[in-house]
Amino acid sequence: MELGLTPQEREFRDQVRGFLTSALNADVVRRSRTGMHPPNEDDRRWWNRVLYEKGWAAPHWPVEYGGTGWTPVQNHIFEYECKMAGAPELRWQGLRLLGPVLYTYGSDAQKQRYLPAILKGEEMWAQGFSEPGAGSDLAALKTSAVLDGDHYIVNGQKLWTTEGQYCEQGFFLVRTEPGERPQAGISMMIIDMRSPGVTVRQIDMINGEGSTCEVFLDNVRVPAQNILGEPGNAWNQAKFLLSNERTSSADIHKARADLERIREIAAGEVHDGRPLLLDPVFIRKLAALRLEVEALEWSVLKVAHEAPSRHPIGACASVLKIRGSSLQQKLTELMVQALGQRSLRVYRRDEAYAEPAGDPLWPAYAPGVTADLMYLRACTIFGGAMEVQKNIIAKLAFGF
Ligand SMILES: Cc1cc2nc3c(=O)[nH]c(=O)nc-3n(C[C@H](O)[C@H](O)[C@H](O)COP(=O)(O)OP(=O)(O)OC[C@H]3O[C@@H](n4cnc5c(N)ncnc54)[C@H](O)[C@@H]3O)c2cc1C
């Protein structure tokens, strides 16, 4: 692939920049740049709506379902510019995970019912896959759905459901029938989170925030038409969804934004009488990370170019997940090192969102850094743990 942007791509980038400058305001940008998890819910719903009205809520979707028809490079430019401008991060469970499953495997009625609401940001989605005892070994899941007339009766418990407390809908893996293998007999089912029998309990995380939940399903009645595809046949859908999740988990745009934030912190922090950014040891660390980010970025772009003709992209998705998640941890570690003793303060959400009052102990770049570092301890676990990704690579690439 050729390095650098073509004149048309530069023109496109300028058009995106112009739009972002006019559409975003300083308060929203300040809140989204803090790195708090979960991000501000009102901001992301508002931003989803703004992008929907512009026709840019889901550029990667096929045009017939509301996508833009942009090239992979244009999609990349768009996401990069959004991140650098400090736009709120859209909830990806609907747009990135369920959306592609719906338009690939869903019935016409399901597409018509759910895709427009995802695009508009009217309904937010929870991913109900993991359970106590079924994380890495997902096929061991026990949540059951038993057919009763034209409804299923669902019982079980899901765990680590990201931001489930904010969601109107969820896509759940449930066992609808016994299978000869653990992977058989599993169905993907849409459950309205407001249904009687659904209880969502927030889990408090190390960073002081509640970004995941437990979800209890107690005799929940779910219409039979809420199964996606053939009952008992969801394992391929789950693998398709997880490989999209792992490719996105590389989070290359955040990595780019983190590099800039590290530079900003290092320019503001003074060590031994000079800005940290002039310290040769520090510069070398930053340069090494920059090279890693560049290398990952080109790999992500290469996969994005080839993905439409190569689904499932299995081993590639796992490689990107491993590289991207370990890089995110290294970047936040360097960010905290740059911040030095100031990183000992863990800001509450309202403090992080407040406008800094000119206090030198509280520069604008400080809030949220430590919370981000703590949250990202989990990024080598969510979407499939690091060791499990290595097993997938060994199996798909080397055959053992
Ligand atoms: C912040 C966060 C958000 C999440 N969000 C969601 C969500 O929205 N929806 C959802 O469904 N799930 C979610 N998860 C769950 C996540 O997918 C699981 O935590 C993950 O798959 C690991 O499963 P587990 O926690 O059961 O750990 P386990 O599977 O018990 O693994 C424990 C350890 O054993 C290792 N291990 C397990 N099996 C093997 C093996 N075969 N070979 C080598 N090592 C192995 C693992 O690598 C890990 O280090 C989230 C998790 C976190 C932490």
Side-chain angles (χ1 to χ4, degrees), residues 143-148 150-158 169-170 172 174 189-200 215-224 226:
T143 296
S144 71
V146 178
L147 197 55
D148 176 28
D150 54 2
H151 280 70
Y152 282 93
I153 310 295
V154 183
N155 281 288
Q157 185 197 340
K158 296 292 173 179
Q169 301 284 351
F172 287 76
V174 296
M189 174 181 271
I190 292 172
I191 301 182
D192 189 315
M193 301 291 281
R194 299 153 292 190
S195 311
V198 177
T199 307
V200 181
V215 177
F216 299 90
L217 303 155
D218 190 10
N219 287 322
V220 182
R221 285 180 68 78
V222 180
N226 282 23

Side-chain angles (χ1 to χ4, degrees), residues 93 127-131 133-137 159-162 205 212 375 378 381-388 391:
Q93 284 81 352
Q127 179 187 11
F129 282 20
S130 308
E131 297 180 2
S136 302
D137 186 11
L159 189 58
W160 307 120
T161 314
T162 295
M205 310 279 280
T212 62
Y375 177 76
I381 301 173
F382 56 64
M386 180 78 99
E387 295 77 7
V388 170
N391 286 350

